[in-house]
mmCIF file of all heavy atoms in Angstrom:
data_model
loop_
_atom_site.group_PDB
_atom_site.id
_atom_site.type_symbol
_atom_site.label_atom_id
_atom_site.label_comp_id
_atom_site.label_asym_id
_atom_site.label_seq_id
_atom_site.Cartn_x
_atom_site.Cartn_y
_atom_site.Cartn_z
ATOM 1 N N ARG B 1380 -47.498 19.432 -99.547
ATOM 2 C CA ARG B 1380 -46.755 18.714 -100.558
ATOM 3 C C ARG B 1380 -47.211 19.123 -101.965
ATOM 4 O O ARG B 1380 -46.391 19.413 -102.841
ATOM 5 C CB ARG B 1380 -46.934 17.213 -100.377
ATOM 6 C CG ARG B 1380 -46.377 16.406 -101.503
ATOM 7 C CD ARG B 1380 -46.741 14.967 -101.422
ATOM 8 N NE ARG B 1380 -46.515 14.393 -102.734
ATOM 9 C CZ ARG B 1380 -46.203 13.111 -102.982
ATOM 10 N NH1 ARG B 1380 -46.130 12.277 -101.971
ATOM 11 N NH2 ARG B 1380 -46.009 12.705 -104.186
ATOM 12 N N PHE B 1381 -48.491 19.167 -102.157
ATOM 13 C CA PHE B 1381 -49.046 19.553 -103.491
ATOM 14 C C PHE B 1381 -48.526 20.910 -103.885
ATOM 15 O O PHE B 1381 -48.067 21.117 -105.020
ATOM 16 C CB PHE B 1381 -50.592 19.556 -103.436
ATOM 17 C CG PHE B 1381 -51.180 20.311 -104.613
ATOM 18 C CD1 PHE B 1381 -51.217 19.739 -105.875
ATOM 19 C CD2 PHE B 1381 -51.584 21.660 -104.436
ATOM 20 C CE1 PHE B 1381 -51.720 20.460 -106.977
ATOM 21 C CE2 PHE B 1381 -52.079 22.376 -105.539
ATOM 22 C CZ PHE B 1381 -52.132 21.782 -106.792
ATOM 23 N N THR B 1382 -48.601 21.871 -102.966
ATOM 24 C CA THR B 1382 -48.213 23.234 -103.269
ATOM 25 C C THR B 1382 -46.736 23.296 -103.651
ATOM 26 O O THR B 1382 -46.332 23.910 -104.631
ATOM 27 C CB THR B 1382 -48.467 24.127 -102.019
ATOM 28 O OG1 THR B 1382 -49.813 23.978 -101.602
ATOM 29 C CG2 THR B 1382 -48.196 25.583 -102.341
ATOM 30 N N ALA B 1383 -45.878 22.615 -102.858
ATOM 31 C CA ALA B 1383 -44.462 22.656 -103.076
ATOM 32 C C ALA B 1383 -44.131 21.946 -104.420
ATOM 33 O O ALA B 1383 -43.296 22.433 -105.207
ATOM 34 C CB ALA B 1383 -43.717 21.951 -101.949
ATOM 35 N N ASP B 1384 -44.772 20.850 -104.719
ATOM 36 C CA ASP B 1384 -44.553 20.100 -105.958
ATOM 37 C C ASP B 1384 -45.005 20.956 -107.174
ATOM 38 O O ASP B 1384 -44.296 21.020 -108.189
ATOM 39 C CB ASP B 1384 -45.299 18.780 -105.958
ATOM 40 C CG ASP B 1384 -44.647 17.747 -105.035
ATOM 41 O OD1 ASP B 1384 -43.541 18.035 -104.513
ATOM 42 O OD2 ASP B 1384 -45.204 16.645 -104.884
ATOM 43 N N TRP B 1385 -46.176 21.580 -107.010
ATOM 44 C CA TRP B 1385 -46.678 22.453 -108.082
ATOM 45 C C TRP B 1385 -45.703 23.571 -108.373
ATOM 46 O O TRP B 1385 -45.358 23.848 -109.543
ATOM 47 C CB TRP B 1385 -48.058 22.987 -107.682
ATOM 48 C CG TRP B 1385 -48.744 23.731 -108.833
ATOM 49 C CD1 TRP B 1385 -49.632 23.163 -109.705
ATOM 50 C CD2 TRP B 1385 -48.599 25.073 -109.184
ATOM 51 N NE1 TRP B 1385 -50.038 24.119 -110.618
ATOM 52 C CE2 TRP B 1385 -49.406 25.276 -110.329
ATOM 53 C CE3 TRP B 1385 -47.805 26.160 -108.682
ATOM 54 C CZ2 TRP B 1385 -49.493 26.552 -110.946
ATOM 55 C CZ3 TRP B 1385 -47.888 27.385 -109.316
ATOM 56 C CH2 TRP B 1385 -48.720 27.579 -110.433
ATOM 57 N N ALA B 1386 -45.204 24.218 -107.318
ATOM 58 C CA ALA B 1386 -44.291 25.331 -107.483
ATOM 59 C C ALA B 1386 -43.011 24.872 -108.191
ATOM 60 O O ALA B 1386 -42.513 25.531 -109.077
ATOM 61 C CB ALA B 1386 -43.952 25.959 -106.129
ATOM 62 N N ARG B 1387 -42.496 23.744 -107.771
ATOM 63 C CA ARG B 1387 -41.274 23.222 -108.369
ATOM 64 C C ARG B 1387 -41.503 22.893 -109.850
ATOM 65 O O ARG B 1387 -40.710 23.296 -110.691
ATOM 66 C CB ARG B 1387 -40.808 21.962 -107.615
ATOM 67 C CG ARG B 1387 -39.480 21.414 -108.088
ATOM 68 C CD ARG B 1387 -39.090 20.160 -107.343
ATOM 69 N NE ARG B 1387 -40.038 19.099 -107.631
ATOM 70 C CZ ARG B 1387 -40.846 18.575 -106.708
ATOM 71 N NH1 ARG B 1387 -40.840 18.971 -105.488
ATOM 72 N NH2 ARG B 1387 -41.663 17.579 -107.034
ATOM 73 N N GLU B 1388 -42.610 22.219 -110.114
ATOM 74 C CA GLU B 1388 -42.892 21.799 -111.505
ATOM 75 C C GLU B 1388 -43.136 22.997 -112.379
ATOM 76 O O GLU B 1388 -42.936 22.917 -113.613
ATOM 77 C CB GLU B 1388 -44.093 20.870 -111.542
ATOM 78 C CG GLU B 1388 -43.691 19.425 -111.089
ATOM 79 C CD GLU B 1388 -44.886 18.639 -110.550
ATOM 80 O OE1 GLU B 1388 -46.023 19.037 -110.796
ATOM 81 O OE2 GLU B 1388 -44.606 17.638 -109.845
ATOM 82 N N HIS B 1389 -43.542 24.105 -111.805
ATOM 83 C CA HIS B 1389 -43.803 25.303 -112.596
ATOM 84 C C HIS B 1389 -42.655 26.288 -112.510
ATOM 85 O O HIS B 1389 -42.772 27.481 -112.854
ATOM 86 C CB HIS B 1389 -45.119 25.960 -112.164
ATOM 87 C CG HIS B 1389 -46.307 25.169 -112.629
ATOM 88 N ND1 HIS B 1389 -46.721 24.045 -111.950
ATOM 89 C CD2 HIS B 1389 -47.112 25.288 -113.656
ATOM 90 C CE1 HIS B 1389 -47.762 23.498 -112.545
ATOM 91 N NE2 HIS B 1389 -48.043 24.230 -113.607
ATOM 92 N N GLY B 1390 -41.508 25.843 -111.988
ATOM 93 C CA GLY B 1390 -40.285 26.659 -111.971
ATOM 94 C C GLY B 1390 -40.354 27.896 -111.119
ATOM 95 O O GLY B 1390 -39.704 28.889 -111.375
ATOM 96 N N ILE B 1391 -41.149 27.849 -110.035
ATOM 97 C CA ILE B 1391 -41.273 28.992 -109.185
ATOM 98 C C ILE B 1391 -40.228 28.981 -108.061
ATOM 99 O O ILE B 1391 -40.131 28.019 -107.304
ATOM 100 C CB ILE B 1391 -42.685 29.105 -108.594
ATOM 101 C CG1 ILE B 1391 -43.604 29.406 -109.782
ATOM 102 C CG2 ILE B 1391 -42.789 30.183 -107.523
ATOM 103 C CD1 ILE B 1391 -45.023 29.304 -109.607
ATOM 104 N N LYS B 1392 -39.421 30.021 -107.990
ATOM 105 C CA LYS B 1392 -38.376 30.110 -106.960
ATOM 106 C C LYS B 1392 -38.984 30.867 -105.785
ATOM 107 O O LYS B 1392 -39.702 31.846 -105.947
ATOM 108 C CB LYS B 1392 -37.149 30.864 -107.473
ATOM 109 C CG LYS B 1392 -36.375 30.110 -108.552
ATOM 110 C CD LYS B 1392 -35.508 29.007 -107.914
ATOM 111 C CE LYS B 1392 -35.074 28.028 -108.988
ATOM 112 N NZ LYS B 1392 -34.444 26.836 -108.383
ATOM 113 N N PRO B 1393 -38.711 30.405 -104.570
ATOM 114 C CA PRO B 1393 -39.404 30.974 -103.378
ATOM 115 C C PRO B 1393 -39.175 32.470 -103.197
ATOM 116 O O PRO B 1393 -40.087 33.239 -103.206
ATOM 117 C CB PRO B 1393 -38.856 30.145 -102.227
ATOM 118 C CG PRO B 1393 -37.642 29.451 -102.765
ATOM 119 C CD PRO B 1393 -37.786 29.329 -104.229
ATOM 120 N N VAL B 1394 -37.933 32.841 -102.970
ATOM 121 C CA VAL B 1394 -37.655 34.254 -102.608
ATOM 122 C C VAL B 1394 -36.432 34.702 -103.386
ATOM 123 O O VAL B 1394 -35.591 33.897 -103.732
ATOM 124 C CB VAL B 1394 -37.346 34.432 -101.125
ATOM 125 C CG1 VAL B 1394 -37.595 35.866 -100.692
ATOM 126 C CG2 VAL B 1394 -38.199 33.479 -100.258
ATOM 127 N N LYS B 1395 -36.329 35.964 -103.633
ATOM 128 C CA LYS B 1395 -35.149 36.473 -104.313
ATOM 129 C C LYS B 1395 -34.028 36.600 -103.344
ATOM 130 O O LYS B 1395 -34.180 36.723 -102.139
ATOM 131 C CB LYS B 1395 -35.426 37.847 -104.925
ATOM 132 C CG LYS B 1395 -36.261 37.711 -106.244
ATOM 133 C CD LYS B 1395 -36.384 39.089 -106.872
ATOM 134 C CE LYS B 1395 -37.637 39.169 -107.749
ATOM 135 N NZ LYS B 1395 -38.874 39.394 -106.980
ATOM 136 N N LYS B 1396 -32.788 36.605 -103.913
ATOM 137 C CA LYS B 1396 -31.581 36.739 -103.143
ATOM 138 C C LYS B 1396 -31.553 38.114 -102.475
ATOM 139 O O LYS B 1396 -31.851 39.112 -103.093
ATOM 140 C CB LYS B 1396 -30.408 36.618 -104.107
ATOM 141 C CG LYS B 1396 -29.138 36.139 -103.516
ATOM 142 C CD LYS B 1396 -28.188 35.794 -104.666
ATOM 143 C CE LYS B 1396 -26.751 35.891 -104.153
ATOM 144 N NZ LYS B 1396 -25.818 35.394 -105.191
ATOM 145 N N ALA B 1397 -31.199 38.148 -101.165
ATOM 146 C CA ALA B 1397 -31.147 39.425 -100.469
ATOM 147 C C ALA B 1397 -29.832 40.107 -100.720
ATOM 148 O O ALA B 1397 -28.838 39.478 -101.063
ATOM 149 C CB ALA B 1397 -31.333 39.174 -98.977
ATOM 150 N N ALA B 1398 -29.789 41.429 -100.529
ATOM 151 C CA ALA B 1398 -28.533 42.168 -100.647
ATOM 152 C C ALA B 1398 -27.642 41.796 -99.454
ATOM 153 O O ALA B 1398 -28.127 41.693 -98.328
ATOM 154 C CB ALA B 1398 -28.799 43.665 -100.654
ATOM 155 N N SER B 1399 -26.343 41.593 -99.688
ATOM 156 C CA SER B 1399 -25.456 41.127 -98.644
ATOM 157 C C SER B 1399 -25.186 42.209 -97.604
ATOM 158 O O SER B 1399 -25.047 43.406 -97.927
ATOM 159 C CB SER B 1399 -24.105 40.693 -99.268
ATOM 160 O OG SER B 1399 -23.163 40.565 -98.230
ATOM 161 N N ASN B 1400 -25.162 41.819 -96.345
ATOM 162 C CA ASN B 1400 -24.806 42.758 -95.288
ATOM 163 C C ASN B 1400 -23.301 42.604 -94.957
ATOM 164 O O ASN B 1400 -22.820 43.221 -94.007
ATOM 165 C CB ASN B 1400 -25.694 42.609 -94.057
ATOM 166 C CG ASN B 1400 -25.515 41.245 -93.360
ATOM 167 O OD1 ASN B 1400 -24.558 40.507 -93.675
ATOM 168 N ND2 ASN B 1400 -26.380 40.905 -92.446
ATOM 169 N N GLY B 1401 -22.609 41.726 -95.703
ATOM 170 C CA GLY B 1401 -21.161 41.604 -95.528
ATOM 171 C C GLY B 1401 -20.715 40.840 -94.318
ATOM 172 O O GLY B 1401 -19.508 40.790 -94.034
ATOM 173 N N ARG B 1402 -21.656 40.187 -93.613
ATOM 174 C CA ARG B 1402 -21.254 39.473 -92.399
ATOM 175 C C ARG B 1402 -21.327 37.978 -92.673
ATOM 176 O O ARG B 1402 -22.314 37.478 -93.213
ATOM 177 C CB ARG B 1402 -22.140 39.880 -91.217
ATOM 178 C CG ARG B 1402 -22.205 41.376 -91.055
ATOM 179 C CD ARG B 1402 -22.985 41.794 -89.842
ATOM 180 N NE ARG B 1402 -22.201 41.634 -88.625
ATOM 181 C CZ ARG B 1402 -22.563 42.109 -87.432
ATOM 182 N NH1 ARG B 1402 -23.699 42.752 -87.262
ATOM 183 N NH2 ARG B 1402 -21.780 41.921 -86.383
ATOM 184 N N LYS B 1403 -20.279 37.269 -92.231
ATOM 185 C CA LYS B 1403 -20.187 35.821 -92.535
ATOM 186 C C LYS B 1403 -20.655 34.928 -91.370
ATOM 187 O O LYS B 1403 -20.210 35.136 -90.236
ATOM 188 C CB LYS B 1403 -18.715 35.471 -92.854
ATOM 189 C CG LYS B 1403 -18.274 35.952 -94.248
ATOM 190 C CD LYS B 1403 -16.757 35.816 -94.374
ATOM 191 C CE LYS B 1403 -16.315 34.353 -94.434
ATOM 192 N NZ LYS B 1403 -14.842 34.219 -94.604
ATOM 193 N N VAL B 1404 -21.471 33.956 -91.707
ATOM 194 C CA VAL B 1404 -21.904 32.975 -90.723
ATOM 195 C C VAL B 1404 -21.618 31.608 -91.311
ATOM 196 O O VAL B 1404 -21.872 31.328 -92.462
ATOM 197 C CB VAL B 1404 -23.421 33.101 -90.376
ATOM 198 C CG1 VAL B 1404 -23.814 32.045 -89.380
ATOM 199 C CG2 VAL B 1404 -23.687 34.481 -89.811
ATOM 200 N N ALA B 1405 -21.080 30.669 -90.461
ATOM 201 C CA ALA B 1405 -20.808 29.301 -90.885
ATOM 202 C C ALA B 1405 -21.872 28.394 -90.320
ATOM 203 O O ALA B 1405 -22.329 28.564 -89.177
ATOM 204 C CB ALA B 1405 -19.436 28.876 -90.408
ATOM 205 N N VAL B 1406 -22.288 27.404 -91.112
ATOM 206 C CA VAL B 1406 -23.235 26.379 -90.647
ATOM 207 C C VAL B 1406 -22.532 25.055 -90.830
ATOM 208 O O VAL B 1406 -21.956 24.785 -91.853
ATOM 209 C CB VAL B 1406 -24.539 26.467 -91.468
ATOM 210 C CG1 VAL B 1406 -25.437 25.263 -91.124
ATOM 211 C CG2 VAL B 1406 -25.286 27.789 -91.173
#
Side-chain angles (χ1 to χ4, degrees):
Chain B
R1380 169 189 164 153
F1381 162 78
T1382 307
D1384 287 354
W1385 188 93
R1387 184 182 64 246
E1388 283 155 18
H1389 289 77
I1391 293 169
K1392 290 282 163 190
V1394 201
K1395 282 187 206 79
K1396 207 168 155 172
S1399 167
N1400 65 12
R1402 309 186 78 169
K1403 285 169 68 180
V1404 178
V1406 171

